[in-house]
Amino acid sequence: MPTLSIRREGNTGGRAIASAYWTCEVKDPWHAWNLHAREPGDPTSARHEAVNGPVEEGDGGTYRALPSKRAYIPKPDGRQRPLGIAALEDKIVQHAVGTVLNQIYEEDFLGFSYGFRPRRSAHDALDALSVAILRRKVNWVLDADIRDCFGSFSHEWMEKFLQHRIGDRRILRLIKKWLKAGVLEDGEWSGTERGTPQGSEISSLLCNVYLHYVFDLWVQHWRKQRAMGEVVVVRYADDSVLGFQYRADAERFLREWRERLQKFGLELHPDKTRLIEFGRFAAKDRKRRGEGKPETFNFLGFTHICGKSWKNGKFFVLRKTIRARLLAKLEQVKMALRKRMHQPLAEVGRWLRSVVQGYFNYHAVPGNFASLWSFRFEVRKRWLRVIRRRSQRSGMTWELLEAFATQWLPVPKILHPHPLVRFDAKYLR
C-alpha cells in the first residue's frame, strides 16, 4: 500500500514533533486496491494508475479530494444515521495516511480509550468497565454520549490539535482537503463547515484525536487533581461511561464537562446522559431507603445490571442484550426472510446459520445465555411463518421445522470468557 515516512524534528514542551512526509513509493499497490475494490480482478494498467495516481498527486500537491456520497443506515431507535462514502482514490490515500498516523497517536492515546484503535475491540472496553466496577470503589455511574460528535467538531480546533504532533504541512493540507470536501446528496453538493462525514477511512481517527485533547487529557488531570474519591473512565469513540466513588464528584464533573465541551463546539446528548446509583452497595443502599432496585445503563449493545451470584451471593455486573437492539435485529431477519421466501430451504438455512452465528459471536458473553436462546427461538418462529406463506397447502409444522433448525441454526453457547479472566490475561500486573 502507499507508504509514509516519519522523521522526528524539533521539540515542544519536551515532546518531539512527528513529521510525516510522502515517499511516493507503492510497495504493494494491489493490497491497497483489493482493500476497497468490490470485484478485484487481474492487475491492469488502469488499476496501477488508480493506485499510484493518488499517491503521486498527494506528494506533488495536485491531489483533489472528492466529496463523499451521502448514505443513510437505520439506527436501533428507528432514526437514520448519515454516512459518507468516499471515492476509491480518497479511500486509498486516507488509508495510507491513517496507517502512519495511527502509529504516531498510539503512543499518545490513553489506556481508557478503546474505539477504532488497532488491537482494541468493543469487548475490551466492556471487560475494562466490568473489572473497574468490580475492583474499584464505584458507587455512581455516569453514562454519557456526545451528540453528533463526528459532524460537530470544530475544524479550527482540529487543525490546532493535529499540529501538536504533525509537522509536515503536506499531511495537514491533505487532512484539511478531506474536511472541506463536502458531501454529495441527490446530485447536490453541500459543504462541511464542521465535523467530517462518518464512515470514511480517516473520520474515526480524527474523532479520536479530537476527543483525546478535548476529553481524555482533561479527564485524566481532573480525576487526579480535583476528584475527592476514585474515578474510572471507559471511552469508546463518542460513548463514555465513568464511575465515581462520591456523588458530589460525579455532579461537579458533569457540570464542568458540559462547559468544556461547549468551548470546543460539542455537547452531551440530553436523552442519553444519565447519572445513576450503581455498584456493589447500590442494591443494599437503595433497599434501605425504600427506592427499589438499582437502575441499569446501556453500553455497546448490552444492558448492565447490578447482579448477585446465586452460588455465593457476591456482586457482579450482569450484561444482557439491549432489548431494543434484539427486536431491531429480529425485524431485519424477518424482512430478509420474506425476500428469500421462495428460495430452497437449504439455501435459506445456510444464510440463517451465518446470521445467528454472527449474532452469537458478539453477544455470547457470560450471563447472557437466556437472550441467546430467545434470539434463536424467535428466528425459528419467523422462519416457520415465512415457510407457511409459501403455499396455502403448506404442511410445515413446528415439529417438522425442528429437523431444519437442528441442522442449520447454531445452538447457543458462551463464547467469551469472564471479563476478569480476559482482562487479567491481556493486562498482566
Side-chain angles (χ1 to χ4, degrees), residues 132-177:
I133 295 176
L134 284 171
R135 291 179 172 173
R136 307 295 292 274
K137 299 176 182 179
V138 174
N139 298 315
W140 296 87
V141 166
L142 175 60
D143 177 22
D145 181 81
I146 299 176
R147 171 183 281 177
D148 191 20
C149 181
F150 283 88
S152 301
F153 65 74
S154 166
H155 289 178
E156 291 74 20
W157 278 111
M158 175 62 75
E159 293 176 17
K160 293 178 181 179
F161 295 152
L162 291 171
Q163 290 171 6
H164 278 284
R165 296 292 277 132
I166 303 175
D168 195 301
R169 294 183 179 179
R170 287 169 290 185
I171 300 300
L172 296 173
R173 187 167 60 246
L174 276 175
I175 296 176
K176 188 174 181 179
K177 288 180 179 179

mmCIF file of all heavy atoms in Angstrom, residues 132-177:
data_model
loop_
_atom_site.group_PDB
_atom_site.id
_atom_site.type_symbol
_atom_site.label_atom_id
_atom_site.label_comp_id
_atom_site.label_asym_id
_atom_site.label_seq_id
_atom_site.Cartn_x
_atom_site.Cartn_y
_atom_site.Cartn_z
ATOM 1 N N ALA A 132 -13.491 -2.641 36.315
ATOM 2 C CA ALA A 132 -13.386 -1.406 37.092
ATOM 3 C C ALA A 132 -14.497 -1.311 38.137
ATOM 4 O O ALA A 132 -14.260 -0.929 39.290
ATOM 5 C CB ALA A 132 -13.430 -0.195 36.162
ATOM 6 N N ILE A 133 -15.725 -1.666 37.753
ATOM 7 C CA ILE A 133 -16.838 -1.600 38.703
ATOM 8 C C ILE A 133 -16.669 -2.634 39.811
ATOM 9 O O ILE A 133 -17.041 -2.395 40.972
ATOM 10 C CB ILE A 133 -18.175 -1.794 37.956
ATOM 11 C CG1 ILE A 133 -18.407 -0.629 36.990
ATOM 12 C CG2 ILE A 133 -19.336 -1.902 38.937
ATOM 13 C CD1 ILE A 133 -19.653 -0.780 36.136
ATOM 14 N N LEU A 134 -16.091 -3.790 39.484
ATOM 15 C CA LEU A 134 -15.907 -4.846 40.475
ATOM 16 C C LEU A 134 -14.766 -4.555 41.434
ATOM 17 O O LEU A 134 -14.868 -4.836 42.633
ATOM 18 C CB LEU A 134 -15.653 -6.183 39.762
ATOM 19 C CG LEU A 134 -16.853 -6.878 39.125
ATOM 20 C CD1 LEU A 134 -16.391 -8.056 38.279
ATOM 21 C CD2 LEU A 134 -17.834 -7.347 40.192
ATOM 22 N N ARG A 135 -13.688 -3.994 40.939
ATOM 23 C CA ARG A 135 -12.472 -3.869 41.746
ATOM 24 C C ARG A 135 -12.234 -2.480 42.320
ATOM 25 O O ARG A 135 -11.455 -2.339 43.258
ATOM 26 C CB ARG A 135 -11.252 -4.272 40.898
ATOM 27 C CG ARG A 135 -11.210 -5.759 40.565
ATOM 28 C CD ARG A 135 -10.004 -6.087 39.724
ATOM 29 N NE ARG A 135 -9.846 -7.535 39.547
ATOM 30 C CZ ARG A 135 -8.955 -8.101 38.750
ATOM 31 N NH1 ARG A 135 -8.129 -7.327 38.040
ATOM 32 N NH2 ARG A 135 -8.887 -9.421 38.647
ATOM 33 N N ARG A 136 -12.865 -1.470 41.760
ATOM 34 C CA ARG A 136 -12.658 -0.112 42.256
ATOM 35 C C ARG A 136 -13.869 0.344 43.066
ATOM 36 O O ARG A 136 -14.921 -0.294 43.061
ATOM 37 C CB ARG A 136 -12.416 0.848 41.088
ATOM 38 C CG ARG A 136 -11.294 0.404 40.157
ATOM 39 C CD ARG A 136 -9.936 0.407 40.841
ATOM 40 N NE ARG A 136 -9.513 1.748 41.148
ATOM 41 C CZ ARG A 136 -8.858 2.538 40.288
ATOM 42 N NH1 ARG A 136 -8.553 2.092 39.076
ATOM 43 N NH2 ARG A 136 -8.486 3.747 40.639
ATOM 44 N N LYS A 137 -13.703 1.450 43.739
ATOM 45 C CA LYS A 137 -14.775 1.988 44.576
ATOM 46 C C LYS A 137 -15.725 2.810 43.714
ATOM 47 O O LYS A 137 -15.615 4.032 43.623
ATOM 48 C CB LYS A 137 -14.180 2.845 45.695
ATOM 49 C CG LYS A 137 -13.257 2.066 46.629
ATOM 50 C CD LYS A 137 -12.625 2.986 47.659
ATOM 51 C CE LYS A 137 -11.665 2.211 48.570
ATOM 52 N NZ LYS A 137 -11.011 3.096 49.560
ATOM 53 N N VAL A 138 -16.655 2.111 43.102
ATOM 54 C CA VAL A 138 -17.627 2.747 42.213
ATOM 55 C C VAL A 138 -19.013 2.627 42.828
ATOM 56 O O VAL A 138 -19.508 1.524 43.048
ATOM 57 C CB VAL A 138 -17.610 2.103 40.815
ATOM 58 C CG1 VAL A 138 -18.729 2.667 39.946
ATOM 59 C CG2 VAL A 138 -16.259 2.306 40.144
ATOM 60 N N ASN A 139 -19.621 3.763 43.110
ATOM 61 C CA ASN A 139 -20.973 3.810 43.666
ATOM 62 C C ASN A 139 -21.956 4.558 42.763
ATOM 63 O O ASN A 139 -23.166 4.426 42.936
ATOM 64 C CB ASN A 139 -20.964 4.475 45.045
ATOM 65 C CG ASN A 139 -20.117 3.704 46.046
ATOM 66 O OD1 ASN A 139 -20.194 2.480 46.143
ATOM 67 N ND2 ASN A 139 -19.284 4.417 46.790
ATOM 68 N N TRP A 140 -21.401 5.348 41.823
ATOM 69 C CA TRP A 140 -22.233 6.124 40.901
ATOM 70 C C TRP A 140 -21.652 5.996 39.500
ATOM 71 O O TRP A 140 -20.438 6.042 39.324
ATOM 72 C CB TRP A 140 -22.296 7.593 41.324
ATOM 73 C CG TRP A 140 -22.960 7.785 42.653
ATOM 74 C CD1 TRP A 140 -22.374 7.733 43.882
ATOM 75 C CD2 TRP A 140 -24.345 8.017 42.885
ATOM 76 N NE1 TRP A 140 -23.299 7.917 44.866
ATOM 77 C CE2 TRP A 140 -24.523 8.101 44.284
ATOM 78 C CE3 TRP A 140 -25.445 8.162 42.054
ATOM 79 C CZ2 TRP A 140 -25.775 8.327 44.848
ATOM 80 C CZ3 TRP A 140 -26.690 8.395 42.620
ATOM 81 C CH2 TRP A 140 -26.841 8.475 44.010
ATOM 82 N N VAL A 141 -22.528 5.836 38.526
ATOM 83 C CA VAL A 141 -22.111 5.672 37.136
ATOM 84 C C VAL A 141 -22.729 6.779 36.297
ATOM 85 O O VAL A 141 -23.942 7.026 36.367
ATOM 86 C CB VAL A 141 -22.526 4.289 36.587
ATOM 87 C CG1 VAL A 141 -22.403 4.251 35.066
ATOM 88 C CG2 VAL A 141 -21.668 3.200 37.198
ATOM 89 N N LEU A 142 -21.863 7.435 35.514
ATOM 90 C CA LEU A 142 -22.304 8.466 34.575
ATOM 91 C C LEU A 142 -22.219 7.877 33.167
ATOM 92 O O LEU A 142 -21.123 7.632 32.653
ATOM 93 C CB LEU A 142 -21.426 9.713 34.689
ATOM 94 C CG LEU A 142 -21.705 10.832 33.680
ATOM 95 C CD1 LEU A 142 -23.138 11.340 33.805
ATOM 96 C CD2 LEU A 142 -20.708 11.972 33.857
ATOM 97 N N ASP A 143 -23.367 7.637 32.573
ATOM 98 C CA ASP A 143 -23.449 7.120 31.202
ATOM 99 C C ASP A 143 -23.702 8.305 30.284
ATOM 100 O O ASP A 143 -24.751 8.950 30.370
ATOM 101 C CB ASP A 143 -24.581 6.094 31.107
ATOM 102 C CG ASP A 143 -24.764 5.568 29.693
ATOM 103 O OD1 ASP A 143 -23.812 5.647 28.902
ATOM 104 O OD2 ASP A 143 -25.873 5.085 29.390
ATOM 105 N N ALA A 144 -22.745 8.610 29.404
ATOM 106 C CA ALA A 144 -22.821 9.834 28.611
ATOM 107 C C ALA A 144 -22.536 9.549 27.145
ATOM 108 O O ALA A 144 -21.745 8.661 26.801
ATOM 109 C CB ALA A 144 -21.834 10.883 29.141
ATOM 110 N N ASP A 145 -23.176 10.330 26.293
ATOM 111 C CA ASP A 145 -22.980 10.229 24.846
ATOM 112 C C ASP A 145 -22.906 11.632 24.270
ATOM 113 O O ASP A 145 -23.742 12.481 24.578
ATOM 114 C CB ASP A 145 -24.124 9.448 24.203
ATOM 115 C CG ASP A 145 -23.945 9.292 22.700
ATOM 116 O OD1 ASP A 145 -23.193 8.403 22.279
ATOM 117 O OD2 ASP A 145 -24.534 10.089 21.949
ATOM 118 N N ILE A 146 -21.881 11.883 23.445
ATOM 119 C CA ILE A 146 -21.722 13.192 22.816
ATOM 120 C C ILE A 146 -22.595 13.248 21.572
ATOM 121 O O ILE A 146 -22.508 12.375 20.710
ATOM 122 C CB ILE A 146 -20.248 13.455 22.464
ATOM 123 C CG1 ILE A 146 -19.395 13.439 23.733
ATOM 124 C CG2 ILE A 146 -20.096 14.787 21.740
ATOM 125 C CD1 ILE A 146 -17.909 13.602 23.484
ATOM 126 N N ARG A 147 -23.406 14.272 21.476
ATOM 127 C CA ARG A 147 -24.350 14.385 20.361
ATOM 128 C C ARG A 147 -23.614 14.728 19.066
ATOM 129 O O ARG A 147 -22.883 15.716 18.985
ATOM 130 C CB ARG A 147 -25.396 15.449 20.662
ATOM 131 C CG ARG A 147 -26.285 15.800 19.471
ATOM 132 C CD ARG A 147 -27.249 16.910 19.802
ATOM 133 N NE ARG A 147 -28.396 16.434 20.562
ATOM 134 C CZ ARG A 147 -29.361 17.243 21.025
ATOM 135 N NH1 ARG A 147 -29.278 18.544 20.823
ATOM 136 N NH2 ARG A 147 -30.376 16.735 21.706
ATOM 137 N N ASP A 148 -23.797 13.872 18.062
ATOM 138 C CA ASP A 148 -23.264 14.089 16.708
ATOM 139 C C ASP A 148 -21.806 14.550 16.752
ATOM 140 O O ASP A 148 -21.441 15.574 16.175
ATOM 141 C CB ASP A 148 -24.113 15.129 15.973
ATOM 142 C CG ASP A 148 -23.773 15.189 14.484
ATOM 143 O OD1 ASP A 148 -23.203 14.222 13.952
ATOM 144 O OD2 ASP A 148 -24.055 16.233 13.871
ATOM 145 N N CYS A 149 -20.978 13.758 17.412
ATOM 146 C CA CYS A 149 -19.570 14.135 17.563
ATOM 147 C C CYS A 149 -18.869 14.226 16.217
ATOM 148 O O CYS A 149 -18.120 15.175 15.955
ATOM 149 C CB CYS A 149 -18.858 13.122 18.463
ATOM 150 S SG CYS A 149 -17.119 13.487 18.751
ATOM 151 N N PHE A 150 -19.103 13.251 15.335
ATOM 152 C CA PHE A 150 -18.425 13.243 14.035
ATOM 153 C C PHE A 150 -18.793 14.466 13.197
ATOM 154 O O PHE A 150 -17.961 14.968 12.447
ATOM 155 C CB PHE A 150 -18.785 11.972 13.259
ATOM 156 C CG PHE A 150 -18.068 10.741 13.739
ATOM 157 C CD1 PHE A 150 -18.610 9.976 14.762
ATOM 158 C CD2 PHE A 150 -16.869 10.354 13.186
ATOM 159 C CE1 PHE A 150 -17.968 8.833 15.206
ATOM 160 C CE2 PHE A 150 -16.208 9.219 13.632
ATOM 161 C CZ PHE A 150 -16.757 8.457 14.648
ATOM 162 N N GLY A 151 -20.011 14.933 13.328
ATOM 163 C CA GLY A 151 -20.453 16.036 12.487
ATOM 164 C C GLY A 151 -20.430 17.391 13.139
ATOM 165 O O GLY A 151 -20.911 18.370 12.541
ATOM 166 N N SER A 152 -19.876 17.505 14.351
ATOM 167 C CA SER A 152 -19.966 18.765 15.089
ATOM 168 C C SER A 152 -18.635 19.372 15.500
ATOM 169 O O SER A 152 -18.592 20.532 15.898
ATOM 170 C CB SER A 152 -20.818 18.568 16.361
ATOM 171 O OG SER A 152 -22.116 18.123 16.038
ATOM 172 N N PHE A 153 -17.536 18.613 15.436
ATOM 173 C CA PHE A 153 -16.292 19.178 15.965
ATOM 174 C C PHE A 153 -15.781 20.314 15.075
ATOM 175 O O PHE A 153 -16.048 20.380 13.875
ATOM 176 C CB PHE A 153 -15.224 18.095 16.159
ATOM 177 C CG PHE A 153 -14.732 17.429 14.904
ATOM 178 C CD1 PHE A 153 -13.888 18.081 14.017
ATOM 179 C CD2 PHE A 153 -15.086 16.121 14.625
ATOM 180 C CE1 PHE A 153 -13.422 17.460 12.880
ATOM 181 C CE2 PHE A 153 -14.631 15.487 13.479
ATOM 182 C CZ PHE A 153 -13.793 16.172 12.603
ATOM 183 N N SER A 154 -15.030 21.215 15.692
ATOM 184 C CA SER A 154 -14.542 22.415 15.026
ATOM 185 C C SER A 154 -13.325 22.096 14.155
ATOM 186 O O SER A 154 -12.370 21.480 14.623
ATOM 187 C CB SER A 154 -14.176 23.474 16.070
ATOM 188 O OG SER A 154 -13.414 24.525 15.515
ATOM 189 N N HIS A 155 -13.344 22.557 12.897
ATOM 190 C CA HIS A 155 -12.196 22.355 12.017
ATOM 191 C C HIS A 155 -10.975 23.142 12.503
ATOM 192 O O HIS A 155 -9.834 22.669 12.377
ATOM 193 C CB HIS A 155 -12.554 22.788 10.592
ATOM 194 C CG HIS A 155 -13.509 21.861 9.916
ATOM 195 N ND1 HIS A 155 -14.000 22.076 8.639
ATOM 196 C CD2 HIS A 155 -14.076 20.695 10.333
ATOM 197 C CE1 HIS A 155 -14.820 21.088 8.307
ATOM 198 N NE2 HIS A 155 -14.890 20.250 9.322
ATOM 199 N N GLU A 156 -11.224 24.335 13.042
ATOM 200 C CA GLU A 156 -10.101 25.154 13.515
ATOM 201 C C GLU A 156 -9.381 24.474 14.682
ATOM 202 O O GLU A 156 -8.146 24.400 14.699
ATOM 203 C CB GLU A 156 -10.609 26.540 13.944
ATOM 204 C CG GLU A 156 -11.093 27.412 12.801
ATOM 205 C CD GLU A 156 -12.439 26.971 12.245
ATOM 206 O OE1 GLU A 156 -13.170 26.252 12.978
ATOM 207 O OE2 GLU A 156 -12.759 27.327 11.095
ATOM 208 N N TRP A 157 -10.141 23.958 15.633
ATOM 209 C CA TRP A 157 -9.525 23.264 16.759
ATOM 210 C C TRP A 157 -8.845 21.972 16.298
ATOM 211 O O TRP A 157 -7.781 21.612 16.800
ATOM 212 C CB TRP A 157 -10.556 22.951 17.838
ATOM 213 C CG TRP A 157 -10.842 24.106 18.751
ATOM 214 C CD1 TRP A 157 -11.992 24.826 18.837
ATOM 215 C CD2 TRP A 157 -9.948 24.672 19.712
ATOM 216 N NE1 TRP A 157 -11.882 25.807 19.781
ATOM 217 C CE2 TRP A 157 -10.628 25.739 20.346
ATOM 218 C CE3 TRP A 157 -8.648 24.401 20.099
ATOM 219 C CZ2 TRP A 157 -10.059 26.507 21.342
ATOM 220 C CZ3 TRP A 157 -8.060 25.169 21.101
ATOM 221 C CH2 TRP A 157 -8.760 26.200 21.713
ATOM 222 N N MET A 158 -9.440 21.290 15.352
ATOM 223 C CA MET A 158 -8.835 20.069 14.847
ATOM 224 C C MET A 158 -7.464 20.339 14.242
ATOM 225 O O MET A 158 -6.496 19.591 14.475
ATOM 226 C CB MET A 158 -9.755 19.423 13.808
ATOM 227 C CG MET A 158 -9.154 18.183 13.124
ATOM 228 S SD MET A 158 -8.786 16.827 14.259
ATOM 229 C CE MET A 158 -10.432 16.214 14.550
ATOM 230 N N GLU A 159 -7.355 21.391 13.464
ATOM 231 C CA GLU A 159 -6.064 21.728 12.860
ATOM 232 C C GLU A 159 -5.030 22.053 13.935
ATOM 233 O O GLU A 159 -3.856 21.667 13.821
ATOM 234 C CB GLU A 159 -6.240 22.901 11.901
ATOM 235 C CG GLU A 159 -7.088 22.568 10.678
ATOM 236 C CD GLU A 159 -7.335 23.780 9.796
ATOM 237 O OE1 GLU A 159 -6.589 24.783 9.949
ATOM 238 O OE2 GLU A 159 -8.267 23.744 8.976
ATOM 239 N N LYS A 160 -5.446 22.735 14.982
ATOM 240 C CA LYS A 160 -4.508 23.055 16.071
ATOM 241 C C LYS A 160 -4.048 21.792 16.787
ATOM 242 O O LYS A 160 -2.864 21.653 17.127
ATOM 243 C CB LYS A 160 -5.170 24.014 17.059
ATOM 244 C CG LYS A 160 -5.456 25.399 16.496
ATOM 245 C CD LYS A 160 -6.148 26.282 17.527
ATOM 246 C CE LYS A 160 -6.463 27.654 16.945
ATOM 247 N NZ LYS A 160 -7.170 28.517 17.947
ATOM 248 N N PHE A 161 -4.975 20.878 17.024
ATOM 249 C CA PHE A 161 -4.601 19.632 17.709
ATOM 250 C C PHE A 161 -3.637 18.809 16.862
ATOM 251 O O PHE A 161 -2.669 18.240 17.384
ATOM 252 C CB PHE A 161 -5.856 18.809 18.012
ATOM 253 C CG PHE A 161 -6.794 19.463 18.996
ATOM 254 C CD1 PHE A 161 -8.156 19.198 18.962
ATOM 255 C CD2 PHE A 161 -6.313 20.326 19.964
ATOM 256 C CE1 PHE A 161 -9.024 19.781 19.871
ATOM 257 C CE2 PHE A 161 -7.171 20.923 20.880
ATOM 258 C CZ PHE A 161 -8.526 20.648 20.823
ATOM 259 N N LEU A 162 -3.892 18.739 15.558
ATOM 260 C CA LEU A 162 -3.020 17.955 14.683
ATOM 261 C C LEU A 162 -1.616 18.533 14.633
ATOM 262 O O LEU A 162 -0.631 17.802 14.509
ATOM 263 C CB LEU A 162 -3.618 17.883 13.276
ATOM 264 C CG LEU A 162 -4.905 17.063 13.121
ATOM 265 C CD1 LEU A 162 -5.501 17.260 11.743
ATOM 266 C CD2 LEU A 162 -4.637 15.584 13.373
ATOM 267 N N GLN A 163 -1.495 19.848 14.714
ATOM 268 C CA GLN A 163 -0.179 20.484 14.640
ATOM 269 C C GLN A 163 0.695 20.178 15.850
ATOM 270 O O GLN A 163 1.906 20.384 15.794
ATOM 271 C CB GLN A 163 -0.353 21.997 14.490
ATOM 272 C CG GLN A 163 -0.896 22.413 13.133
ATOM 273 C CD GLN A 163 -1.267 23.878 13.062
ATOM 274 O OE1 GLN A 163 -1.016 24.645 14.001
ATOM 275 N NE2 GLN A 163 -1.879 24.286 11.962
ATOM 276 N N HIS A 164 0.102 19.666 16.910
ATOM 277 C CA HIS A 164 0.901 19.266 18.070
ATOM 278 C C HIS A 164 1.836 18.114 17.732
ATOM 279 O O HIS A 164 2.937 18.019 18.285
ATOM 280 C CB HIS A 164 -0.013 18.845 19.228
ATOM 281 C CG HIS A 164 -0.547 19.990 20.021
ATOM 282 N ND1 HIS A 164 0.213 20.690 20.928
ATOM 283 C CD2 HIS A 164 -1.780 20.560 20.044
ATOM 284 C CE1 HIS A 164 -0.521 21.644 21.482
ATOM 285 N NE2 HIS A 164 -1.731 21.583 20.960
ATOM 286 N N ARG A 165 1.398 17.228 16.838
ATOM 287 C CA ARG A 165 2.162 16.008 16.579
ATOM 288 C C ARG A 165 2.584 15.834 15.134
ATOM 289 O O ARG A 165 3.369 14.954 14.824
ATOM 290 C CB ARG A 165 1.338 14.786 17.004
ATOM 291 C CG ARG A 165 1.037 14.716 18.461
ATOM 292 C CD ARG A 165 2.294 14.458 19.272
ATOM 293 N NE ARG A 165 2.620 13.054 19.306
ATOM 294 C CZ ARG A 165 3.819 12.560 19.063
ATOM 295 N NH1 ARG A 165 4.803 13.342 18.703
ATOM 296 N NH2 ARG A 165 4.042 11.255 19.140
ATOM 297 N N ILE A 166 2.042 16.630 14.218
ATOM 298 C CA ILE A 166 2.383 16.525 12.794
ATOM 299 C C ILE A 166 3.027 17.822 12.348
ATOM 300 O O ILE A 166 2.422 18.890 12.424
ATOM 301 C CB ILE A 166 1.131 16.229 11.947
ATOM 302 C CG1 ILE A 166 0.449 14.958 12.443
ATOM 303 C CG2 ILE A 166 1.499 16.077 10.476
ATOM 304 C CD1 ILE A 166 -0.844 14.656 11.747
ATOM 305 N N GLY A 167 4.259 17.706 11.871
ATOM 306 C CA GLY A 167 4.990 18.889 11.439
ATOM 307 C C GLY A 167 5.004 19.096 9.940
ATOM 308 O O GLY A 167 5.363 20.175 9.473
ATOM 309 N N ASP A 168 4.631 18.106 9.156
ATOM 310 C CA ASP A 168 4.670 18.210 7.707
ATOM 311 C C ASP A 168 3.399 18.888 7.208
ATOM 312 O O ASP A 168 2.299 18.386 7.408
ATOM 313 C CB ASP A 168 4.814 16.822 7.086
ATOM 314 C CG ASP A 168 5.210 16.891 5.629
ATOM 315 O OD1 ASP A 168 4.466 17.492 4.842
ATOM 316 O OD2 ASP A 168 6.283 16.341 5.290
ATOM 317 N N ARG A 169 3.549 20.007 6.524
ATOM 318 C CA ARG A 169 2.388 20.765 6.074
ATOM 319 C C ARG A 169 1.610 20.037 4.998
ATOM 320 O O ARG A 169 0.420 20.284 4.806
ATOM 321 C CB ARG A 169 2.837 22.128 5.546
ATOM 322 C CG ARG A 169 3.418 23.039 6.625
ATOM 323 C CD ARG A 169 3.787 24.390 6.063
ATOM 324 N NE ARG A 169 4.326 25.267 7.108
ATOM 325 C CZ ARG A 169 4.747 26.513 6.888
ATOM 326 N NH1 ARG A 169 4.704 27.010 5.662
ATOM 327 N NH2 ARG A 169 5.209 27.233 7.889
ATOM 328 N N ARG A 170 2.269 19.143 4.261
ATOM 329 C CA ARG A 170 1.554 18.414 3.212
ATOM 330 C C ARG A 170 0.508 17.480 3.811
ATOM 331 O O ARG A 170 -0.593 17.336 3.270
ATOM 332 C CB ARG A 170 2.557 17.635 2.359
ATOM 333 C CG ARG A 170 3.378 18.515 1.431
ATOM 334 C CD ARG A 170 4.524 17.739 0.819
ATOM 335 N NE ARG A 170 5.545 17.417 1.810
ATOM 336 C CZ ARG A 170 6.695 16.826 1.506
ATOM 337 N NH1 ARG A 170 6.959 16.472 0.264
ATOM 338 N NH2 ARG A 170 7.587 16.566 2.440
ATOM 339 N N ILE A 171 0.826 16.841 4.914
ATOM 340 C CA ILE A 171 -0.149 15.974 5.570
ATOM 341 C C ILE A 171 -1.298 16.804 6.141
ATOM 342 O O ILE A 171 -2.470 16.439 6.010
ATOM 343 C CB ILE A 171 0.522 15.147 6.675
ATOM 344 C CG1 ILE A 171 1.620 14.265 6.085
ATOM 345 C CG2 ILE A 171 -0.503 14.293 7.404
ATOM 346 C CD1 ILE A 171 1.115 13.283 5.058
ATOM 347 N N LEU A 172 -0.969 17.922 6.752
ATOM 348 C CA LEU A 172 -2.011 18.797 7.292
ATOM 349 C C LEU A 172 -2.903 19.323 6.168
ATOM 350 O O LEU A 172 -4.117 19.457 6.343
ATOM 351 C CB LEU A 172 -1.363 19.955 8.052
ATOM 352 C CG LEU A 172 -0.554 19.581 9.301
ATOM 353 C CD1 LEU A 172 0.161 20.803 9.853
ATOM 354 C CD2 LEU A 172 -1.453 18.968 10.357
ATOM 355 N N ARG A 173 -2.291 19.633 5.017
ATOM 356 C CA ARG A 173 -3.077 20.116 3.891
ATOM 357 C C ARG A 173 -4.004 19.034 3.356
ATOM 358 O O ARG A 173 -5.144 19.307 2.977
ATOM 359 C CB ARG A 173 -2.133 20.611 2.797
ATOM 360 C CG ARG A 173 -2.854 21.288 1.634
ATOM 361 C CD ARG A 173 -1.900 22.051 0.732
ATOM 362 N NE ARG A 173 -0.890 21.163 0.160
ATOM 363 C CZ ARG A 173 0.415 21.248 0.442
ATOM 364 N NH1 ARG A 173 0.850 22.164 1.295
ATOM 365 N NH2 ARG A 173 1.285 20.414 -0.117
ATOM 366 N N LEU A 174 -3.531 17.781 3.331
ATOM 367 C CA LEU A 174 -4.386 16.679 2.893
ATOM 368 C C LEU A 174 -5.609 16.535 3.796
ATOM 369 O O LEU A 174 -6.747 16.398 3.330
ATOM 370 C CB LEU A 174 -3.592 15.372 2.889
ATOM 371 C CG LEU A 174 -2.743 15.042 1.665
ATOM 372 C CD1 LEU A 174 -1.943 13.779 1.924
ATOM 373 C CD2 LEU A 174 -3.608 14.880 0.432
ATOM 374 N N ILE A 175 -5.379 16.554 5.098
ATOM 375 C CA ILE A 175 -6.486 16.399 6.045
ATOM 376 C C ILE A 175 -7.473 17.554 5.910
ATOM 377 O O ILE A 175 -8.696 17.359 5.971
ATOM 378 C CB ILE A 175 -5.947 16.288 7.477
ATOM 379 C CG1 ILE A 175 -5.092 15.019 7.620
ATOM 380 C CG2 ILE A 175 -7.085 16.273 8.489
ATOM 381 C CD1 ILE A 175 -4.434 14.861 8.959
ATOM 382 N N LYS A 176 -6.948 18.752 5.703
ATOM 383 C CA LYS A 176 -7.831 19.912 5.532
ATOM 384 C C LYS A 176 -8.686 19.754 4.277
ATOM 385 O O LYS A 176 -9.872 20.130 4.266
ATOM 386 C CB LYS A 176 -6.997 21.185 5.454
ATOM 387 C CG LYS A 176 -7.830 22.458 5.464
ATOM 388 C CD LYS A 176 -6.953 23.694 5.536
ATOM 389 C CE LYS A 176 -7.809 24.962 5.578
ATOM 390 N NZ LYS A 176 -6.947 26.180 5.673
ATOM 391 N N LYS A 177 -8.123 19.194 3.218
ATOM 392 C CA LYS A 177 -8.906 18.962 1.995
ATOM 393 C C LYS A 177 -10.047 17.990 2.258
ATOM 394 O O LYS A 177 -11.156 18.185 1.751
ATOM 395 C CB LYS A 177 -7.999 18.425 0.894
ATOM 396 C CG LYS A 177 -7.038 19.452 0.310
ATOM 397 C CD LYS A 177 -6.178 18.827 -0.778
ATOM 398 C CE LYS A 177 -5.224 19.860 -1.374
ATOM 399 N NZ LYS A 177 -4.356 19.279 -2.435
#
